[in-house]
Amino acid sequence: SNHERESLIHIYGADPQKVAVIPCGVDTQMFSPIGKDIARQKVGVGPNSQTILFVGRITPLKGVDLLLHSMAQLEEDNNVQLLLVGGNARRSRQEHLMYLLALQIGISHRVRFLGPIPQNVLPYYYNAADVCVVPSYYESFGLVALEALACGTPVIAARVGGLQSIVQDGRT
């Protein structure tokens, strides 16, 4: 990303002539719009649910704690659910901490920890969601945002790293 290019030049003294930015790409045969009703039926999301999606590793850097605290600020009666896709087949220590946080702040009934999902199934989740959130404290490339956008799903992202070159305020 441009952000990483600038870091390499300014922090590590890399020669600007030797650092090129190659934009990230996504397989648009796989990640493309699907009818929301079809996608929701495939992943078990109700037709009237307002669905927020997070896809990624469950590590402190990914900002899941920030997302859970933000979710707790939403009114209870607005039928919003959070789908957390990612992590390990076995719940890691960080995933367990995030589950405990969801319990502690009273939103565990509105959060689904889904674990890892095969890549060929991810487009259904992106298409089933009303919005994909990338709350990372740092994100080098922002591939999750790119995949979501390729599916036609709006993205809310932290203004960090590569996300700044993918997510355009007010447009995507």
Side-chain angles (χ1 to χ4, degrees):
S1 68
N2 286 325
H3 180 266
E4 288 197 329
R5 179 182 187 279
E6 294 304 312
S7 294
L8 288 171
I9 293 167
H10 291 93
I11 296 172
Y12 298 104
D15 180 351
Q17 301 300 317
K18 294 183 179 182
V19 182
V21 175
I22 301 171
C24 292
V26 64
D27 180 353
T28 56
Q29 295 291 323
M30 179 179 295
F31 295 98
S32 61
I34 301 169
K36 190 174 284 298
D37 292 339
I38 293 168
R40 285 182 169 217
Q41 186 175 26
K42 178 85 171 171
V43 301
V45 171
N48 298 322
S49 173
Q50 294 179 5
T51 303
I52 299 169
L53 177 68
F54 169 88
V55 176
R57 293 175 290 118
I58 311 295
T59 66
L61 197 59
K62 294 295 184 178
V64 175
D65 58 330
L66 177 62
L67 179 54
L68 293 174
H69 283 291
S70 298
M71 180 79 178
Q73 299 301 309
L74 300 174
E75 292 183 22
E76 182 72 29
D77 63 351
N78 62 10
N79 201 26
V80 175
Q81 69 173 331
L82 171 61
L83 304 180
L84 290 169
V85 172
N88 302 319
R90 292 183 177 155
R91 187 172 278 172
S92 70
R93 178 173 169 10
Q94 185 65 24
E95 288 174 75
H96 183 69
L97 290 173
M98 293 302 98
Y99 176 75
L100 292 176
L101 177 59
L103 276 172
Q104 178 186 6
I105 60 179
I107 62 166
S108 61
H109 62 288
R110 297 191 301 163
V111 180
R112 290 174 45 197
F113 289 83
L114 300 171
I117 301 291
Q119 187 177 27
N120 65 330
V121 179
L122 275 176
Y124 291 104
Y125 282 91
Y126 287 125
N127 279 280
D130 293 297
V131 65
C132 181
V133 180
V134 187
S136 302
Y137 293 105
Y138 181 77
E139 192 70 47
S140 56
F141 301 115
L143 289 176
V144 166
L146 197 58
E147 290 171 350
L149 292 171
C151 290
T153 302
V155 174
I156 297 173
R159 190 173 283 142
V160 297
L163 291 169
Q164 296 175 82
S165 60
I166 294 171
V167 179
Q168 299 171 2
D169 190 27
R171 292 188 56 210
T172 59

